[in-house]
């Protein structure tokens, strides 16, 4: 159980229930950054090409396992997902479940990075959702519509109203995670559902609002999808994590891109928060005056929803001011800018 003193915080080893590790050489950086403070992570499948079946998930998991640092090889487990497309079949779900795939991810086509192959006709997936319900495989949802006439700041709300309500009403026993929620509308929707519906919340949406993206010039390293919202929505997210509601849990949505890909005319969406993830959440919970509630949010609620055992190891954070680096150099020599670069955090993880 969590133990807190003035200068030290010990909590059950947490998990990241929404993570992008990417692929190739970048895995050396991203896997190590995650494994330093998380026991398990739900790994997103939006690679090129996307991970659409059990065989591809197994191959990707093998690549991830190869990148785990030797000293952490027995303390980090990637939990794999498959990417739903218009061509996904119930048989694909059954095969993935049998192969140990944890969940399936629904991206509306064009919603985020590498989502062009994603779903354009939700109703066509109803047989797939039925198979997932029967197999008790969670559905993970990027909850935004992509219609060009819908304002980008309204896309989460419209998705909930027009699509998510339909899925939940048709499949009341399907376990659903509404990923990286950003609005008060999403908070209220999840709170109103039974325990089959939950949500993940990122550090960037707790720490920032759209002023941090747009005021004083566009800040590309704060650009993510769903995009940062107004401060009233940020406050709703902060209030629900402070409340200790068990339907909301940690999911960083850490999504790295090389610096040159972020700082260009059509900069990529995503914040690389894995590098200081647990420290960022500790900062939020301390600001909210509920540091004692961090452990359940980070270590218990997600495991319980996924019906996995809670971790038994612990990590310790110490009260120590430190600065997030301005850049990290990848194995290929290119820099990447971590989320909150150059800013000071007040908690620091001791080595595992």
């Amino acid at each position: 159980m969590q133990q807190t003193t003035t200068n030290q915080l010990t909590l059950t080893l947490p998990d990241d229930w929404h993570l992008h590790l990417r692929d190739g050489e970048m895995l050396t950086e991203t896997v190590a950054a995650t494994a330093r403070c998380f026991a398990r992570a739900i790994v997103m499948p939006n690679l090129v090409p996307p991970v659409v079946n059990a065989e591809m998930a197994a191959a990707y998991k093998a690549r991830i396992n190869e990148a785990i640092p030797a000293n952490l090889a027995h303390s980090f487990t990637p939990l794999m997902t498959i990417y739903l497309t218009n061509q996904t079949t119930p048989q694909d779900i059954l095969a993935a479940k049998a192969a140990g795939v944890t969940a399936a991810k629904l991206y509306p086509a064009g919603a985020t990075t590498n989502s062009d192959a994603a779903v354009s006709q939700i109703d066509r997936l109803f047989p797939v959702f039925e198979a997932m319900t029967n197999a008790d495989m969670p559905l993970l949802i990027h909850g935004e519509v992509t219609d060009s006439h819908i304002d980008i700041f309204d896309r989460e709300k419209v998705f909930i109203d027009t699509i998510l309500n339909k899925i939940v009403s048709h499949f009341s026993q399907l376990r659903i995670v509404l990923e990286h929620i950003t609005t008060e509308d999403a908070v209220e929707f999840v709170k109103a559902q039974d325990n089959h519906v939950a949500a993940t919340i990122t550090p960037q949406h707790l720490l920032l609002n759209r002023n941090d993206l747009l005021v004083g010039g566009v800040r590309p390293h704060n650009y993510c999808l769903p995009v940062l919202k107004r401060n009233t929505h940020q406050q709703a997210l902060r209030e629900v994590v402070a409340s200790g509601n068990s339907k909301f849990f940690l999911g960083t949505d850490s999504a790295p891109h090389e610096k040159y890909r972020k700082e260009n005319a059509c900069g990529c969406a995503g914040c690389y928060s894995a590098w200081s993830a647990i420290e960022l959440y500790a900062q939020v919970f301390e600001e909210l005056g509920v540091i004692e509630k961090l452990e359940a949010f980070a270590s218990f609620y997600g495991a319980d929803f996924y019906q996995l055992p809670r971790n038994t190891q612990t990590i310790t954070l110490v009260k120590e001011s430190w600065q997030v680096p301005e850049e990290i150099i990848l194995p290929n020599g290119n820099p990447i800018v971590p989320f909150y670069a150059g800013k000071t955090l007040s908690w620091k993880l001791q080595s595992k």
Side-chain angles (χ1 to χ4, degrees), residues 184-342:
E184 183 177 8
D185 309 274
V187 168
E188 294 305 316
F189 177 85
V190 173
K191 287 167 61 176
Q193 308 308 309
D194 67 18
N195 289 332
H196 287 88
V197 178
T200 56
I201 302 182
T202 75
Q204 63 264 28
H205 292 108
L206 290 168
L207 286 163
L208 307 180
N209 58 62
R210 65 189 188 184
N211 282 355
D212 299 291
L213 175 64
L214 300 171
V215 172
V218 176
R219 303 177 195 180
H221 298 286
N222 290 343
Y223 172 51
C224 57
L225 289 172
V227 71
L228 297 169
K229 304 298 194 298
R230 64 170 65 245
N231 61 356
T232 53
H233 293 297
Q234 178 195 12
Q235 186 60 29
L237 299 180
R238 290 168 70 92
E239 288 175 359
V240 80
V241 300
S243 75
N245 189 312
S246 63
K247 299 175 77 171
F248 301 85
F249 43 82
L250 186 155
T252 63
D253 192 26
S254 180
H257 295 282
E258 291 164 300
K259 182 178 180 179
Y260 79 94
R261 294 185 183 276
K262 294 286 289 181
E263 297 180 3
N264 65 38
C266 53
C268 295
C271 299
Y272 182 45
S273 59
W275 209 87
S276 54
I278 195 62
E279 295 95 336
L280 291 164
Y281 283 109
Q283 184 105 347
V284 171
F285 277 75
E286 183 175 53
E287 288 175 0
L288 294 171
V290 292
I291 195 72
E292 73 280 359
K293 294 184 178 179
L294 174 62
E295 182 179 49
F297 174 83
S299 310
F300 297 160
Y301 297 156
D304 294 348
F305 182 85
Y306 277 90
Q307 300 174 2
L308 295 170
R310 294 178 177 182
N311 299 315
T312 56
Q313 297 173 278
T314 61
I315 58 169
T316 297
L317 300 168
V318 294
K319 191 74 170 181
E320 177 183 333
S321 294
W322 64 285
Q323 190 176 70
V324 179
E326 296 284 353
E327 293 183 351
I328 297 164
I329 304 302
L330 294 172
N332 63 8
N334 288 336
I336 188 169
V337 177
F339 178 67
Y340 241 46

Side-chain angles (χ1 to χ4, degrees), residues 103-114:
K105 181 65 184 283
L106 173 63
Y107 292 100
T112 189
T113 302
N114 301 334

